[in-house]
Amino acid sequence: DGGITQSPKYLFRKEGQNVTLSCEQNLNHDAMYWYRQDPGQGLRLIYYSQIVNDFQKGDIAEGYSVSREKKESFPLTVTSAQKNPTAFYLCASSGMFSREGDYGYTFGSGTRLTVV
Amino acid sequence: RKEVEQDPGPFNVPEGATVAFNCTYSNSASQSFFWYRQDCRKEPKLLMSVYSSGNEDGRFTAQLNRASQYISLLIRDSKLSDSATYLCVVNSMYNFNKFYFGSGTKLNVKP
């Protein structure tokens, strides 16, 4: 079955440490995204990529980095520069829009990152 | 002004009730519209797309009003299992791969 896989499900980071969250999809989707969700709040866009080897900053990119070396993979690194990284991180992918209403997002099951 | 705005709720309704949520969007160039459902501590899942002509899927009906720039979701005969947060999602025809999420409306269906 096609889908999008995030790992790990839970991640604990020490202060000053960089950590990388994995996101892999086998849906043949061109676009991939990283969102952050804080308790009781909506999703905020960190980075997105519409094509291999290209990505764009979202609304809250500071303290994060990404790469898109393969269509299937879009890892997110949370660097030590991100001062408040504890959150629920969601990866998503989407196909290209061909007509009205087509192709919403497909989300991974998320990674809960906690700073200890 | 936020791109997408929703009443956070919570909407507390008894089983069997009909409940409706609205979501307003600020960009008149928005092209595609969706409702997602998010259960507690889970990822959002697509509930339904929203077409210009409106669409219905069982107990759920979605409507789009371009003139007033809002979309709505109507749930009939509410079930306990409908309890969740409902997210409104909108994207732009100018950056069609960039989506904007509302912060969600929480629904609690009670016995």
Side-chain angles (χ1 to χ4, degrees):
Chain A
D1 285 341
I4 182 166
T5 301
Q6 286 187 245
S7 62
K9 195 171 179 67
Y10 298 96
L11 186 58
F12 297 91
R13 190 193 96 169
K14 292 183 180 179
E15 296 267 1
Q17 207 176 35
N18 290 357
V19 291
T20 297
L21 283 59
S22 170
C23 178
E24 304 275 334
Q25 55 100 357
N26 61 3
L27 299 164
N28 200 33
H29 282 168
D30 290 300
M32 296 186 73
Y33 312 79
W34 275 104
Y35 284 88
R36 167 182 174 141
Q37 188 175 37
D38 294 282
Q41 297 191 31
L43 279 68
R44 291 185 290 167
L45 182 63
I46 304 172
Y47 269 99
Y48 65 103
S49 168
Q50 298 183 12
I51 196 168
V52 173
N53 291 324
D54 186 55
F55 47 82
Q56 308 295 328
K57 290 183 179 180
D59 302 315
I60 55 164
E62 186 175 350
Y64 299 97
S65 65
V66 293
S67 62
R68 187 88 186 275
E69 297 175 3
K70 299 187 299 182
K71 187 175 185 177
E72 301 80 16
S73 178
F74 191 41
L76 173 75
T77 296
V78 184
T79 75
S80 57
Q82 171 49 239
K83 297 306 177 190
N84 186 23
T86 295
F88 186 40
Y89 290 87
L90 286 158
C91 179
S93 67
S94 72
M96 299 299 283
F97 283 74
S98 60
R99 62 185 174 91
E100 181 195 28
D102 260 358
Y103 299 121
Y105 275 2
T106 299
F107 282 93
S109 57
T111 293
R112 289 197 180 275
L113 174 63
T114 303
V115 173
V116 296
Chain B
R1 185 182 171 187
K2 289 184 180 179
E3 293 280 346
V4 181
E5 300 211 51
Q6 294 183 252
D7 181 343
F11 285 60
N12 298 308
V13 303
E15 265 188 296
T18 295
V19 61
F21 312 133
N22 279 348
C23 161
T24 58
Y25 60 94
S26 60
N27 188 343
S28 60
S30 296
Q31 183 75 349
S32 295
F33 309 88
F34 308 89
W35 282 104
Y36 276 74
R37 171 196 170 123
Q38 187 174 25
D39 292 292
C40 188
R41 300 178 71 81
K42 299 280 191 180
E43 75 275 21
K45 293 188 177 176
L46 180 65
L47 179 66
M48 56 199 309
S49 302
V50 187
Y51 302 116
S52 292
S53 56
N55 49 312
E56 187 173 313
D57 182 4
R59 298 182 293 109
F60 298 84
T61 300
Q63 297 281 349
L64 168 62
N65 185 319
R66 284 193 184 272
S68 300
Q69 294 183 207
Y70 73 85
I71 66 172
S72 63
L73 178 67
L74 181 77
I75 305 175
R76 288 180 299 277
D77 188 24
S78 299
K79 312 289 184 194
L80 294 176
S81 57
D82 293 335
S83 296
T85 297
Y86 291 84
L87 304 175
C88 171
V89 185
V90 170
N91 92 319
S92 167
M93 65 180 293
Y94 298 115
N95 189 349
F96 58 85
N97 273 336
K98 191 172 181 184
F99 293 72
Y100 298 95
F101 285 77
S103 55
T105 296
K106 187 167 176 57
L107 172 65
N108 295 319
V109 181
K110 301 185 180 301

